[in-house]
Amino acid sequence: MLAAMPDSAPSPVSAGGASARAGGDACPGTLRLHRADDGALARVRIPGGVLDPGRADALLAAAERFGDGELHLTSRGNVQLRGLGTGCGGELAALLTDAGLLPSAAHERARNIVASPLAGLDGSPSLGAWLGELDRLVCASPAAAALSGRFLFALDAGGGDVDALGADVTVIAGGPDALLRIGAEDEVFRVPSSDEAPRAALLAAEAFLRAAHESGAWRVKDLPDDVRTELVRTIGPATGPAVHRPRPRKAAAPAPGPVCTTAALSVDVPLGRLVPAQWRLLTETAKRYGDELRLTPWRGIVVPGPFPGQEAADALRALSAAGLITAPDSPWTGVGACIGHPGCAKSLSDVRAEAGAAVGPPGRLPVYWSGCERRCGHPHGEWIDVVATPDGHRISHVRGERRDAPTTVRNDPARLAAAVAEARAL
């Protein structure tokens, strides 16, 4: 049995104590809409990115009834609805609650869980039991309601794909036991029983809330060094022995196309934006085969199968015709962007249009276009960062926490496209 951590009662934050975090968490959800230039925005948490067709249908119904009809994938495998009317909040919440997408009003922004999208499909362990139990535990914990919309759990099937995303609490499959990582620490703790892994993750999150009470940190990386060290020291005795396992520095997204011959299909979504016809096609494909969609933290979708005979090729052909990325050689592979102008008042340019104009041969590195210095939704690991500035764009090569000296390109679309292509090829 996993030992309880010291003082595992609800954290002082959730109990109403004073905190530097008292200003409130500005992250949008489904009960707190965000005002944008194209209307209100709702962010629907999809733990692990896993959707059954019924819930997928409900999301589309919400988008078409209340918003612009499109579904926008996020870098955490969640879904954003845009162009919402400011008075739709109650009806939207009721629709999502009826579909099972809002199991706890108090925890709706705390249900940030990413999971390896190919778990159980590529020979790695299935994570379904962990995912369901962690979500249940989070929603049942009064303390966890105080987690910010930024705090992130990750469930990794052992290959390091989501371990590399820099989550606050990561659980890694490892046979009969499991490994627990706090933030970016190179030391992980062995959880004696794999069945106890979700509870270990919750206890670590509750311990973080107590540690964050004085500093007002939203995430583990925001804690002062001495507080973070003490947090790790506190968690160790409640789990198991420490093991040296550095966090992977590069997150590997599933390549678009067939998975393990025909166990599943993987598609990427250009700029993470899905129109109704694309979403319906994906949902219908899921209904016909594995009855599930898995939204990935790289703005893609995995459709579990199996797909017998020629049906994988036929399905991929239909998905490609609908405008989705079904092969690694697509010029859109690895290209991302924030919403940009005119959807965001802070954006200095229409970066989505600029990204489309600059699309060329696939590059070795992903590229992300941002309309301002906030870089909303940017990737992790190694990538090319393109940021709009008042007089052009700034391009830099990011390697984790390191950033190379930038190159500035003035307002010249041809030069900009050439500079981005050169940077991606390095």
Side-chain angles (χ1 to χ4, degrees), residues 128-342:
W130 275 7
L131 181 59
E133 180 65 1
L134 178 56
D135 192 30
R136 185 191 71 78
L137 288 170
V138 167
C139 290
S141 165
L147 292 171
S148 79
R150 301 175 178 90
F151 193 91
L152 181 64
F153 295 95
L155 303 179
D156 191 289
D161 55 349
V162 298
D163 187 13
L165 295 180
D168 298 280
V169 176
T170 302
V171 180
I172 307 162
D177 55 8
L179 302 175
L180 178 72
R181 188 188 306 280
I182 308 302
E185 297 295 320
D186 286 342
E187 298 298 317
V188 298
F189 299 101
R190 286 198 178 277
V191 180
S193 168
S194 179
D195 293 341
E196 295 283 355
R199 178 166 172 76
L202 174 67
L203 291 176
E206 291 178 339
F208 160 78
L209 284 170
R210 292 189 293 275
H213 180 57
E214 294 300 327
S215 67
W218 295 111
R219 302 195 60 187
V220 168
K221 67 181 182 180
D222 301 328
L223 291 170
D225 290 344
D226 60 332
V227 177
R228 186 168 59 251
T229 299
E230 179 62 19
L231 170 64
V232 173
R233 188 197 66 77
T234 300
I235 290 171
T239 52
V243 179
H244 186 70
R245 179 172 173 146
R247 179 168 65 88
R249 300 306 177 192
K250 185 174 182 180
V259 176
C260 290
T261 309
T262 55
L265 302 180
S266 174
V267 300
D268 288 341
V269 179
L271 302 180
R273 171 180 168 269
L274 288 149
V275 298
Q278 292 171 324
W279 189 261
R280 288 192 180 96
L281 178 58
L282 284 160
T283 304
E284 289 164 3
T285 305
K287 289 176 181 176
R288 184 174 179 183
Y289 297 99
D291 214 37
E292 183 178 271
L293 295 171
R294 300 184 184 182
L295 315 183
T296 80
W298 302 277
R299 296 182 175 87
I301 298 180
V302 171
V303 186
F307 293 80
Q310 291 297 311
E311 296 192 41
D314 293 342
L316 286 171
R317 193 174 301 112
L319 293 166
S320 178
L324 298 169
I325 302 168
T326 59
D329 60 356
S330 166
W332 280 101
T333 297
V335 179
C338 71
I339 196 65
H341 184 78

Side-chain angles (χ1 to χ4, degrees), residues 46-51 76-78 113-115 131 293-296:
I46 314 291
V50 176
L51 281 171
R76 292 184 167 189
N78 295 320
I113 308 172
V114 295
L131 181 59
L293 295 171
R294 300 184 184 182
L295 315 183
T296 80

Side-chain angles (χ1 to χ4, degrees), residues 294-386:
R294 300 184 184 182
L295 315 183
T296 80
W298 302 277
R299 296 182 175 87
I301 298 180
V302 171
V303 186
F307 293 80
Q310 291 297 311
E311 296 192 41
D314 293 342
L316 286 171
R317 193 174 301 112
L319 293 166
S320 178
L324 298 169
I325 302 168
T326 59
D329 60 356
S330 166
W332 280 101
T333 297
V335 179
C338 71
I339 196 65
H341 184 78
C344 175
K346 290 183 170 60
S347 180
L348 298 176
S349 67
D350 185 351
V351 287
R352 294 195 161 205
E354 291 171 340
V359 161
R364 184 183 73 83
L365 296 173
V367 58
Y368 196 80
W369 297 69
S370 300
C372 72
E373 297 290 347
R374 296 185 303 166
R375 298 177 173 84
C376 295
H378 71 76
H380 296 269
E382 188 178 10
W383 50 288
I384 299 302
D385 179 39
V386 183

